PDB file of all heavy atoms in Angstrom:
ATOM      1  N   LYS A1387     105.590 116.238  91.330  1.00 57.00           N
ATOM      2  CA  LYS A1387     104.391 115.375  90.988  1.00 57.00           C
ATOM      3  C   LYS A1387     103.171 116.263  90.853  1.00 57.00           C
ATOM      4  O   LYS A1387     102.389 116.080  89.955  1.00 57.00           O
ATOM      5  CB  LYS A1387     104.180 114.317  91.983  1.00 57.00           C
ATOM      6  CG  LYS A1387     105.229 113.196  91.972  1.00 57.00           C
ATOM      7  CD  LYS A1387     105.095 112.156  93.033  1.00 57.00           C
ATOM      8  CE  LYS A1387     106.085 111.147  93.003  1.00 57.00           C
ATOM      9  NZ  LYS A1387     105.955 110.055  94.014  1.00 57.00           N
ATOM     10  N   THR A1388     103.046 117.221  91.778  1.00 54.00           N
ATOM     11  CA  THR A1388     101.842 118.113  91.766  1.00 54.00           C
ATOM     12  C   THR A1388     101.869 118.990  90.502  1.00 54.00           C
ATOM     13  O   THR A1388     100.868 119.186  89.844  1.00 54.00           O
ATOM     14  CB  THR A1388     101.844 119.006  92.988  1.00 54.00           C
ATOM     15  OG1 THR A1388     101.848 118.171  94.170  1.00 54.00           O
ATOM     16  CG2 THR A1388     100.614 119.912  92.990  1.00 54.00           C
ATOM     17  N   ARG A1389     103.126 119.524  90.127  1.00 61.00           N
ATOM     18  CA  ARG A1389     103.224 120.317  88.907  1.00 61.00           C
ATOM     19  C   ARG A1389     102.828 119.514  87.709  1.00 61.00           C
ATOM     20  O   ARG A1389     102.169 120.063  86.789  1.00 61.00           O
ATOM     21  CB  ARG A1389     104.693 120.867  88.863  1.00 61.00           C
ATOM     22  CG  ARG A1389     104.899 121.744  87.613  1.00 61.00           C
ATOM     23  CD  ARG A1389     106.451 122.108  87.558  1.00 61.00           C
ATOM     24  NE  ARG A1389     107.228 120.949  87.141  1.00 61.00           N
ATOM     25  CZ  ARG A1389     107.275 120.520  85.931  1.00 61.00           C
ATOM     26  NH1 ARG A1389     106.596 121.070  84.928  1.00 61.00           N
ATOM     27  NH2 ARG A1389     107.986 119.395  85.665  1.00 61.00           N
ATOM     28  N   LYS A1390     103.406 118.352  87.587  1.00 63.00           N
ATOM     29  CA  LYS A1390     103.119 117.507  86.400  1.00 63.00           C
ATOM     30  C   LYS A1390     101.632 117.223  86.353  1.00 63.00           C
ATOM     31  O   LYS A1390     101.054 117.237  85.204  1.00 63.00           O
ATOM     32  CB  LYS A1390     103.866 116.195  86.493  1.00 63.00           C
ATOM     33  CG  LYS A1390     105.355 116.307  86.204  1.00 63.00           C
ATOM     34  CD  LYS A1390     106.065 114.968  86.200  1.00 63.00           C
ATOM     35  CE  LYS A1390     107.551 115.229  85.906  1.00 63.00           C
ATOM     36  NZ  LYS A1390     108.294 113.898  85.921  1.00 63.00           N
ATOM     37  N   PHE A1391     100.958 116.977  87.437  1.00 53.00           N
ATOM     38  CA  PHE A1391      99.581 116.688  87.511  1.00 53.00           C
ATOM     39  C   PHE A1391      98.821 117.864  86.992  1.00 53.00           C
ATOM     40  O   PHE A1391      97.898 117.724  86.076  1.00 53.00           O
ATOM     41  CB  PHE A1391      99.073 116.329  88.886  1.00 53.00           C
ATOM     42  CG  PHE A1391      97.553 116.276  88.993  1.00 53.00           C
ATOM     43  CD1 PHE A1391      96.973 115.114  88.603  1.00 53.00           C
ATOM     44  CD2 PHE A1391      96.871 117.295  89.612  1.00 53.00           C
ATOM     45  CE1 PHE A1391      95.606 115.010  88.682  1.00 53.00           C
ATOM     46  CE2 PHE A1391      95.487 117.175  89.700  1.00 53.00           C
ATOM     47  CZ  PHE A1391      94.829 116.056  89.297  1.00 53.00           C
ATOM     48  N   TYR A1392      98.995 119.049  87.434  1.00 57.00           N
ATOM     49  CA  TYR A1392      98.388 120.238  86.944  1.00 57.00           C
ATOM     50  C   TYR A1392      98.686 120.627  85.519  1.00 57.00           C
ATOM     51  O   TYR A1392      97.741 121.104  84.780  1.00 57.00           O
ATOM     52  CB  TYR A1392      98.689 121.504  87.858  1.00 57.00           C
ATOM     53  CG  TYR A1392      97.948 121.459  89.245  1.00 57.00           C
ATOM     54  CD1 TYR A1392      98.536 121.192  90.375  1.00 57.00           C
ATOM     55  CD2 TYR A1392      96.515 121.578  89.188  1.00 57.00           C
ATOM     56  CE1 TYR A1392      97.852 121.114  91.520  1.00 57.00           C
ATOM     57  CE2 TYR A1392      95.811 121.529  90.394  1.00 57.00           C
ATOM     58  CZ  TYR A1392      96.469 121.359  91.525  1.00 57.00           C
ATOM     59  OH  TYR A1392      95.771 121.270  92.656  1.00 57.00           O
ATOM     60  N   GLU A1393      99.903 120.273  85.074  1.00 69.00           N
ATOM     61  CA  GLU A1393     100.277 120.462  83.631  1.00 69.00           C
ATOM     62  C   GLU A1393      99.406 119.581  82.747  1.00 69.00           C
ATOM     63  O   GLU A1393      98.813 120.015  81.677  1.00 69.00           O
ATOM     64  CB  GLU A1393     101.720 120.197  83.429  1.00 69.00           C
ATOM     65  CG  GLU A1393     102.616 121.379  83.872  1.00 69.00           C
ATOM     66  CD  GLU A1393     104.100 121.123  83.553  1.00 69.00           C
ATOM     67  OE1 GLU A1393     104.400 119.958  83.078  1.00 69.00           O
ATOM     68  OE2 GLU A1393     104.935 122.047  83.687  1.00 69.00           O
ATOM     69  N   GLN A1394      99.264 118.338  83.175  1.00 67.00           N
ATOM     70  CA  GLN A1394      98.453 117.430  82.374  1.00 67.00           C
ATOM     71  C   GLN A1394      96.941 117.845  82.400  1.00 67.00           C
ATOM     72  O   GLN A1394      96.255 117.765  81.354  1.00 67.00           O
ATOM     73  CB  GLN A1394      98.490 116.066  83.003  1.00 67.00           C
ATOM     74  CG  GLN A1394      99.911 115.350  82.808  1.00 67.00           C
ATOM     75  CD  GLN A1394     100.073 114.044  83.644  1.00 67.00           C
ATOM     76  OE1 GLN A1394      99.195 113.740  84.413  1.00 67.00           O
ATOM     77  NE2 GLN A1394     101.206 113.451  83.393  1.00 67.00           N
ATOM     78  N   GLN A1395      96.436 118.409  83.567  1.00 61.00           N
ATOM     79  CA  GLN A1395      95.158 118.750  83.568  1.00 61.00           C
ATOM     80  C   GLN A1395      94.906 119.995  82.714  1.00 61.00           C
ATOM     81  O   GLN A1395      93.918 120.112  81.994  1.00 61.00           O
ATOM     82  CB  GLN A1395      94.839 119.269  85.077  1.00 61.00           C
ATOM     83  CG  GLN A1395      94.671 118.052  86.064  1.00 61.00           C
ATOM     84  CD  GLN A1395      93.463 117.195  85.731  1.00 61.00           C
ATOM     85  OE1 GLN A1395      93.594 116.161  85.095  1.00 61.00           O
ATOM     86  NE2 GLN A1395      92.358 117.614  86.113  1.00 61.00           N
ATOM     87  N   GLN A1396      95.928 120.959  82.727  1.00 70.00           N
ATOM     88  CA  GLN A1396      95.829 122.120  81.914  1.00 70.00           C
ATOM     89  C   GLN A1396      95.886 121.831  80.369  1.00 70.00           C
ATOM     90  O   GLN A1396      95.130 122.405  79.574  1.00 70.00           O
ATOM     91  CB  GLN A1396      96.899 123.132  82.225  1.00 70.00           C
ATOM     92  CG  GLN A1396      96.802 124.452  81.570  1.00 70.00           C
ATOM     93  CD  GLN A1396      95.599 125.210  82.073  1.00 70.00           C
ATOM     94  OE1 GLN A1396      95.198 125.154  83.220  1.00 70.00           O
ATOM     95  NE2 GLN A1396      94.870 125.782  81.148  1.00 70.00           N
TER      96      GLN A1396
END
Side-chain angles (χ1 to χ4, degrees):
K1387 290 178 181 178
T1388 304
R1389 183 187 66 79
K1390 288 182 178 179
F1391 172 78
Y1392 281 111
E1393 281 184 354
Q1394 291 171 354
Q1395 292 291 99
Q1396 191 61 43

